[in-house]
C-alpha cells in the first residue's frame, strides 16, 4: 500500500487559530506520528484519535482539528491506493514508495 515512509504530512492551509499550529511541521512534531503509516497499518477503522478508539494522538483540548486532519490523511491514502495506476502510472499491487522516494531527490 501507499505509505508515508519518507514524506511527513504537511498542511496546505488551516484556519484553526486556537489549536491549528500543532499541524504545522515547524511548530510541532504531531505530524511525525504518521511517518511509516499506510492504509492497513493501522487498519482503516483505526485512523482516528485515541479518544475515539483509534491509534493516533490528539493534543490536549483539541479533537475537532485532529479528527479532520487524520480523516483527510486516511482519505488521501485510500484515494492513492484506489487510483494508483492513474496517479503513479503503476499497476495495482506495485509499491509506490519508489515513486515518492524519487521525488525527494
Amino acid at each position: 500500500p501507499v505509505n508515508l515512509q519518507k514524506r511527513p504530512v504537511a498542511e496546505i492551509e488551516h484556519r484553526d487559530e486556537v489549536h491549528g499550529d500543532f499541524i504545522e511541521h515547524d511548530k510541532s512534531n504531531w505530524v511525525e506520528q504518521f511517518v511509516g503509516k499506510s492504509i492497513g497499518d493501522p487498519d482503516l477503522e483505526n485512523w482516528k484519535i485515541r479518544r475515539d478508539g483509534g491509534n493516533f494522538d490528539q493534543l490536549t483540548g483539541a479533537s475537532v482539528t485532529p479528527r479532520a486532519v487524520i480523516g483527510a490523511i486516511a482519505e488521501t491514502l485510500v484515494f492513492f491506493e484506489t487510483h494508483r495506476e492513474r496517479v503513479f502510472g503503476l499497476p495495482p499491487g506495485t509499491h509506490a514508495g519508489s515513486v515518492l522516494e524519487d521525488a525527494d531527490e
Side-chain angles (χ1 to χ4, degrees), residues 39-74:
I39 297 302
D41 179 26
D43 292 329
L44 186 56
E45 62 269 6
N46 291 315
W47 276 81
K48 314 182 257 198
I49 59 174
R50 292 188 199 287
R51 176 194 286 176
D52 296 341
N55 285 28
F56 297 101
D57 293 329
Q58 67 182 70
L59 294 180
T60 304
S63 60
V64 173
T65 300
R67 282 182 183 120
V69 171
I70 292 166
I73 294 168

Side-chain angles (χ1 to χ4, degrees), residues 92-105:
T94 304
H95 179 60
S98 60
V99 174
L100 297 177
E101 289 168 13
D102 290 345
D104 289 338
E105 296 176 0

Side-chain angles (χ1 to χ4, degrees), residues 9-17 20-21 23-25 65 68-69 72:
V9 175
E11 88 289 350
I12 295 172
E13 179 181 349
H14 73 82
R15 294 190 177 131
D16 184 341
E17 295 178 12
D21 285 351
I23 64 173
E24 294 184 30
H25 197 266
T65 300
V69 171

Side-chain angles (χ1 to χ4, degrees), residues 2 10 19 24 26-27 30 37 39 42 66 68-69 93 96-97:
V2 176
H19 301 293
E24 294 184 30
D26 60 336
K27 295 182 181 181
W30 183 80
K37 300 300 181 196
I39 297 302
V69 171

